[in-house]
Each structure stands twice: as C-alpha cells, then as structure tokens.
Amino acid sequence: MATPLSADKLLKALRDEGLHVVEHRSWRTNNRNHKGLWGPTHGVMIHHTVTSGTSSSVELCYNGHSALPGPLCHGVIAKDGTVHLVGNGRANHAGLGDDDVLRAVIAEKALPPDNEANTDGNRHFYGFECVNLGDGKDPWPAAQLLAIERASAAVCRAHGWSERSVIGHLEWQPGKVDPRGFSMNGMRGRVAKRLGGAPDGPSDPPPRPRYEPFPGAAFFTAGRNSAIVTAMGKRLVAEGCGRYTVGPGPAWSEADRKSYAAWQRKLGYTGGDADGIPGKSSWDRLKVPNV
C-alpha cells in the first residue's frame, strides 16, 4: 500500500530522473477526487493518446471532453520526450480493469491475462499518455521511449517499487490495445535496468516563457476563473479594446468576449473570425504576460 505522491514529490521524482518537465496550467489542483478515491497507489499505467501534436494533446488530456472529463492522465509524454504534467490526484485514464492483474501488480509478479473489468483503476494507478496515433505506423522516437522509461522508473523509485509495477492499458482492461507500437515487456526490462542504477540527476527547469502560451479555445468558457483571463483583459485595455465597465477580472465574462472581439476586429478579422473567442494567431499577437 502506498500513499500517492504529493505534487512537489512527483515533480521532483521526474526531474531527478533527468526528465524535462513542463507544469501545465493548474495541474496541481486538476483532478477527479470529488468523483472517487485516489489511492492507495500501486503502479504506473502507460497509454497512447490516439492524437497528434503536442499542444492539442496536452489540452485534451488536461480538459477531457464531453464524454470523459479531464484530467485524462497525470502526465503527457511528447514525441520529443518532454513530460507535460496535467493532473494531480484521481484521473480518468485506467477505467475498470481486472482485479487479478491488480493483485499481481501489488505482489510484483508476472501479469495474468486481463479478462475482467471489475476494479477501479483510476484509484490505484498513475497514468501517462504518450502522444501517438496508435495505428501501429506512427513512430515512437527514441527520445519518447526514453522518457517513458524514465517517468516509469521515477515513480517506481519514489515508491520503492520494481519494474513489475509498470503496465500498459492493454494489460489492464480487456479490449484495449495501448500502447501500440512497442512491447511492455521490453519497456519493463528497460525500467528494471534503470532502477538498478542511480537516477540521471535533475534536469534544469525550463525558463518560464515571456508570454502566456495559448491555452486553447475551450479554455474560454463560462465558469472559467483564472489569472490568465485577468492578464488578457489588461492587455486588451492597453490595446484600446477594453469593453469593461468593471474589471477586468479573473472570471471569463461577456465583457471579456466583447473586448476580445474588438481586438480581433482591430487585427482585421471579420464575421465568425471576430466572435470574441480567442484563437492562437490573435492570442500570440496580443502578447499576454506569463502568469
């Protein structure tokens, strides 16, 4: 039985293993703990995203979608080996799986076939989604495979687990195929070898970007409360596009939408392209300071 790692301990474990880690938005408080238990933790589960592109994949895993709310994992592993942390706590990634598999993971024994879906995996597994189409053709770069090895080893090392605590989604839930394109037995062998030595040592934390990266159009919805919205509003006012009677403030509002629409029109956008919902091009030109 293992108590889940705190956000700080997870971040340190990953960086100590030599990983380049990006903290995505409010990942430390992004979880599904209000929907079920988180812990005790027993293992690490590897998935593929069935998507392409880092930014969109990270946003999807942070937010989820209408049928499956986010976070959809704890970390997204990009093609270049960067780990983007998107969740801390219970996440919608494992789903129901085989209780015999869970018992084998806890005992750190060889896995039996997964032929039942009767046990809550979201409670017990850390999840890493790896950017890959999952079609058996999309390549797995060496940097990405190394990051999967390192991330798995980092969590195992922090808990005192062996490589037997690392499994693929396809080994947990009947019908799943992820991760497709490499062998989990081979990956466990790599993790075992890594755990036999010392960690690579911490990587330098990446410099904070000067401007706030585009958070995705789905970020700008009713109920969103973020310092990013305030920073955006202040830039709109500075550009002469403010349409506020009060504020700007952290809660996304109709005044924010009208102000952003004014900015879009200032840039030459018209019609539906000036609807007040930020797009990446107009956002990048607004140069919202990093918060």
Side-chain angles (χ1 to χ4, degrees), residues 11 13 18 27 35 69 71 76 78 83 90 92 98 116 142 160 168 174 200 222 229-230 253 258 271 276 278:
L11 178 62
W27 74 276
K35 290 295 184 180
V76 179
V83 177
R90 184 181 175 91
N92 275 334
D98 196 312
E116 295 180 285
D200 290 339
V229 178
T230 305
S253 67
K258 289 180 178 178

Side-chain angles (χ1 to χ4, degrees), residues 180-277:
R180 186 178 182 188
F182 66 88
S183 160
M184 282 306 303
N185 281 330
M187 181 55 66
R188 279 188 285 270
R190 293 177 59 156
V191 173
K193 184 176 180 180
R194 175 167 290 275
L195 290 173
D200 290 339
S203 60
D204 294 330
R208 289 175 63 86
R210 183 177 178 186
Y211 301 115
E212 191 67 40
F214 179 54
F219 178 81
F220 302 97
T221 57
R224 177 69 66 192
N225 195 296
S226 171
I228 295 174
V229 178
T230 305
M232 175 203 74
K234 289 180 178 179
R235 283 292 299 128
L236 292 170
V237 171
E239 291 290 341
C241 297
R243 300 296 184 267
Y244 302 96
T245 56
V246 178
W252 173 258
S253 67
E254 181 64 10
D256 290 303
R257 190 193 67 77
K258 289 180 178 178
S259 299
Y260 204 92
W263 169 244
Q264 290 169 324
R265 290 192 296 271
K266 183 177 180 177
L267 295 178
Y269 294 105
T270 60
D273 292 331
D275 60 0
I277 303 301

Side-chain angles (χ1 to χ4, degrees), residues 42-142:
H42 297 302
V44 179
M45 191 174 295
I46 306 300
H47 308 258
H48 61 228
T49 60
V50 199
T51 62
S52 61
T54 299
S55 179
S56 57
S57 299
V58 171
E59 283 298 326
L60 174 64
C61 289
Y62 183 93
N63 293 313
H65 49 80
S66 59
L68 193 64
L72 304 185
C73 60
H74 298 92
V76 179
I77 301 179
K79 292 280 193 183
D80 66 358
T82 300
V83 177
H84 299 258
L85 291 175
V86 297
N88 175 45
R90 184 181 175 91
N92 275 334
H93 72 99
L96 294 177
D98 196 312
D99 59 343
D100 292 329
V101 172
L102 180 62
R103 280 190 285 271
V105 170
I106 294 171
E108 298 198 310
K109 296 180 177 179
L111 299 177
D114 54 321
N115 53 25
E116 295 180 285
N118 57 11
T119 301
D120 178 12
N122 294 335
R123 175 181 180 180
H124 298 299
F125 288 93
Y126 298 91
F128 289 95
E129 286 279 1
C130 309
V131 179
N132 190 279
L133 292 174
D135 58 2
K137 300 176 183 178
D138 192 11
W140 291 90

